[in-house]
DNA sequence: AGATTGATAAGG
DNA sequence: CTTATCAATCTT
């Protein structure tokens, strides 16, 4: 049985947690029972200076959740179709988050949320205390590789090309390439 | 390569 | 109010 991740853990910077969350268990309570999937692919979005981060243009109605304390869930609708799930990290007042791009069995951030029934009703909840959605550590520490982030061509070059995407090294998991 | 889809943010 | 844009995914 895994141990739930707590505030101290989530208070670390997104630059650290994006890699460390690889191999953790994303847990969701549903009518059918509790789903647990191992996180296989993440991306780091780090503060207002990161031109790929939603908060790069400051705090708005949508991005205000990014400024919350570490452990808050940030779920938003992408392209009018897909809910994308991020873990807010770091200290309150500093917009950082880790996008969960893939879990075992489901490659792609929209597929993860669909499989686990994660939608915008969970936006802003606290992963430390929620009975609906949380993350556990069962001690597994998979190897991973780093790559460029996906779908952020609008960012300035130094942030467009930084290796802030992390992918598990596991034969069962095949990350979708660009 | 093109279609889909609707919330969001900026501009008039 | 109008319009462009978009942390994607599926089909052609």
């Amino acid at each position: 049985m895994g141990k739930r991740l707590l505030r101290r853990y989530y208070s670390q910077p997104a630059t650290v947690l994006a890699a460390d969350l690889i191999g953790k268990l994303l847990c969701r309570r549903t009518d059918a029972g509790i789903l647990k999937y191992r996180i296989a692919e993440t991306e780091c979005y780090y503060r207002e200076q990161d031109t790929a981060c939603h908060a790069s243009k400051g705090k708005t109605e949508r991005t205000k959740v990014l400024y919350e304390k570490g452990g808050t869930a940030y779920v938003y609708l992408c392209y009018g179709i897909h809910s994308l799930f991020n873990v807010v990290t770091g200290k309150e007042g500093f917009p950082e988050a880790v996008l969960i791009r893939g879990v075992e069995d489901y490659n792609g951030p929209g597929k993860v949320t669909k499989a686990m029934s994660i939608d915008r009703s969970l936006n802003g909840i606290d992963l430390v205390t929620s009975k609906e959605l949380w993350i556990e550590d069962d001690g597994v520490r998979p190897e991973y590789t780093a790559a460029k982030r996906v779908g952020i061509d609008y960012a300035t070059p130094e942030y467009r090309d930084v290796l802030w995407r992390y992918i598990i090294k596991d034969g069962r998991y095949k990350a979708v390439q660009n």
Side-chain angles (χ1 to χ4, degrees):
Chain A
M1 259 322 186
K3 295 182 66 174
R4 179 191 281 245
L5 300 176
L6 301 177
R7 190 78 60 210
R8 173 174 295 178
Y9 179 85
Y10 290 118
S11 298
Q12 298 173 273
T15 46
V16 172
L17 288 193
D20 201 78
L21 281 167
I22 297 291
K24 300 292 186 288
L25 296 170
L26 182 59
C27 308
R28 172 77 166 117
R29 186 176 69 82
T30 71
D31 293 337
I34 294 177
L35 295 174
K36 296 189 180 185
Y37 287 105
R38 198 169 302 279
I39 295 170
E41 185 177 343
T42 63
E43 279 178 2
C44 168
Y45 288 88
Y46 189 69
R47 300 195 174 180
E48 292 179 351
Q49 73 252 22
D50 175 5
T51 47
C53 181
H54 284 168
S56 62
K57 291 175 181 169
K59 188 185 278 192
T60 66
E61 186 61 28
R62 178 178 65 155
T63 64
K64 64 183 182 185
V65 175
L66 287 168
Y67 292 76
E68 290 288 323
K69 59 183 175 295
T72 304
Y74 172 48
V75 186
Y76 78 99
L77 192 65
C78 183
Y79 298 111
I81 304 172
H82 306 105
S83 293
L84 267 57
F85 168 61
N86 301 245
V87 180
V88 176
T89 69
K91 294 182 175 181
E92 186 170 0
F94 297 92
E96 318 171 10
V98 175
L99 168 67
I100 305 302
R101 281 196 66 85
V103 297
E104 284 180 323
D105 305 337
Y106 295 101
N107 300 350
K111 292 181 182 177
V112 170
T113 54
K114 183 183 178 189
M116 301 187 75
S117 300
I118 296 170
D119 61 28
R120 291 182 306 139
S121 69
L122 294 168
N123 188 40
I125 67 154
D126 185 3
L127 300 172
V128 174
T129 57
S130 173
K131 293 184 170 63
E132 303 295 322
L133 184 65
W134 67 96
I135 304 176
E136 292 180 1
D137 178 7
D138 66 352
V140 173
R141 299 276 188 282
E143 292 186 36
Y144 55 84
T145 56
K148 293 180 185 179
R149 294 180 290 179
V150 174
I152 53 156
D153 289 345
Y154 56 86
T156 52
E158 70 270 27
Y159 285 103
R160 183 172 63 230
D161 298 331
V162 69
L163 302 180
W164 273 355
R165 177 185 178 202
Y166 299 93
I167 305 165
I168 199 170
K169 278 189 183 176
D170 185 328
R172 297 213 311 141
Y173 184 86
K174 294 291 181 199
V176 177
Q177 295 304 319
N178 312 338

